[in-house]
């Protein structure tokens, strides 16, 4: 007899059940080993990034398998809102999807349709071939697939901030995640995530989510900024990234034991 599988709760369900904000980190290296180390850290969730990281379907699959034994919830970001790519990620077993650059309720509605089977959506049917259904070892997967997937969309532009209430009102959107870097760029202050107007736009988006009764997340590596957004009502926050921790940690070692500037060290 084959093993009958039960899928983990979605990120949306875990957020709803949590008695405190959920704290997570990016996993951008593309390494299953690094993902597993991060998954055992005690953090609540991980963002496996397919937009700005050297990830493929194969490396994302390996990372999902590596973190499956741990309590941390994996959220996976697709490179774009492409329907075919979303179908492939879902079939890999991605239950918690993050879609970047959603600027309107119309785009949000399209993303909802991308994660649902017909007649409610346009997701291609291939559950017998896919890890999502554990190759049809999840009983009733097709009928209950919507309950196994959560959809978070990114607010990353001034237009998206304006549209946040409508995006949040879209049935099937479980949460929003605010990206201050792209938001700053769209507001004409590239690289200035702490600019007062950017901070105000982030907080405005968080308030919209609180008003709508849906979770809002945000990227905030500076502890004081993370604490500010948590106080404003953010339900989930990214506070670090594997690659930045390695970069800053290795730089600190070089500074302590070698000294001098980077150019001098590079000439050794």
């Amino acid at each position: 007899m084959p093993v009958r599988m039960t899928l983990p709760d979605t990120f949306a369900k875990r957020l709803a059940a949590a008695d405190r904000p959920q704290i997570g980190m990016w996993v951008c290296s593309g390494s299953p080993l690094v993902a597993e180390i991060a998954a055992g850290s005690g953090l609540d969730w991980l963002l496996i990034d397919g937009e700005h990281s050297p990830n493929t379907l194969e490396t994302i699959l390996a990372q999902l398998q590596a973190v499956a034994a741990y309590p941390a919830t994996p959220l996976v970001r697709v490179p774009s809102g492409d329907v075919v790519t979303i179908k492939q990620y879902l079939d890999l077993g991605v239950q918690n999807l993050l879609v970047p650059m959603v600027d309107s309720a119309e785009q949000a509605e399209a993303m909802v349709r991308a994660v649902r089977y017909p007649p409610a959506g346009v997701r291609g049917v291939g559950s017998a071939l896919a890890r999502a259904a554990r190759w049809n070892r999840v009983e009733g997967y097709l009928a209950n697939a919507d309950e196994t997937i959560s959809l978070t969309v990114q607010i990353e532009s001034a237009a998206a901030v304006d549209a946040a209430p409508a995006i949040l009102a879209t049935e099937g959107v479980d949460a929003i995640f605010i990206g201050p870097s792209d938001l700053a760029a769209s507001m004409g202050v590239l690289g200035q995530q702490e600019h007062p107007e950017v901070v105000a736009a982030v907080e405005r988006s968080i308030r919209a989510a609180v008003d709508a009764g849906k979770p809002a997340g945000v990227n905030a590596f500076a502890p004081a900024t993370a604490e500010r957004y948590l106080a404003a009502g953010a339900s989930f926050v990214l506070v670090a990234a594997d690659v930045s921790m390695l970069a800053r940690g290795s730089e600190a070692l070089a500074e302590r034991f070698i000294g001098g500037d980077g150019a001098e060290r590079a000439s050794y």
Side-chain angles (χ1 to χ4, degrees):
M1 292 287 294
V3 175
R4 293 301 175 190
M5 306 294 294
T6 300
L7 296 177
D9 284 344
T10 64
F11 191 45
K13 290 177 182 176
R14 293 192 180 191
L15 285 170
D19 58 2
R20 58 168 176 79
Q22 300 292 281
I23 307 301
M25 67 177 286
W26 296 84
V27 179
C28 304
S29 62
S31 165
L33 179 63
V34 173
E36 184 172 6
I37 292 169
S41 66
L43 291 168
D44 299 304
W45 65 289
L46 307 177
L47 178 54
I48 300 171
D49 188 19
E51 183 184 14
H52 292 298
S53 301
N55 270 311
T56 63
L57 294 175
E58 290 81 4
T59 62
I60 289 170
L61 171 60
Q63 289 170 84
L64 290 173
Q65 292 169 330
V67 306
Y70 297 86
T73 303
L75 186 68
V76 184
R77 181 163 70 172
V78 288
S80 70
D82 175 72
V83 172
V84 173
T85 303
I86 288 172
K87 172 180 65 177
Q88 291 178 306
Y89 273 52
L90 294 179
D91 281 353
L92 285 182
V94 171
Q95 289 183 253
N96 307 299
L97 196 74
L98 177 63
V99 180
M101 297 290 183
V102 174
D103 293 332
S104 68
E106 290 74 21
Q107 284 180 276
E109 290 168 2
M111 296 304 93
V112 172
R113 288 181 57 77
V115 304
R116 293 183 172 180
Y117 288 124
V122 296
R123 179 183 175 188
V125 182
S127 59
L129 311 175
R131 180 176 179 268
R134 301 304 189 267
W135 306 277
N136 278 352
R137 290 173 180 159
V138 175
E139 190 170 354
Y141 178 80
L142 287 175
N144 301 306
D146 291 355
E147 299 174 15
T148 72
I149 296 167
S150 72
L151 173 65
T152 303
V153 300
Q154 276 199 262
I155 303 296
E156 299 187 89
S157 69
V161 172
D162 289 340
I167 291 170
L168 286 156
T170 302
E171 192 277 327
V173 171
D174 295 299
I176 60 169
F177 183 76
I178 306 150
S181 294
D182 281 301
L183 180 55
S186 82
M187 297 175 70
V189 287
L190 178 65
Q192 299 180 55
Q193 296 93 313
E194 303 287 345
H195 190 284
E197 292 182 7
V198 176
V199 172
V202 172
E203 292 182 333
R204 179 181 162 198
S205 300
I206 293 172
R207 284 196 302 272
V210 171
D211 291 344
K214 289 186 177 180
V218 64
N219 186 46
F221 286 5
T225 304
E227 289 166 0
R228 174 171 184 159
Y229 291 147
L230 288 167
S235 298
F236 57 108
V237 180
L238 287 174
V239 296
D242 56 351
V243 290
S244 62
M245 292 173 69
L246 178 59
R248 302 296 84 77
S250 57
E251 289 163 5
L253 288 172
E255 179 63 29
R256 176 172 180 176
F257 291 103
I258 300 173
D261 59 28
E264 180 182 337
R265 290 196 298 274
S267 67
Y268 291 170

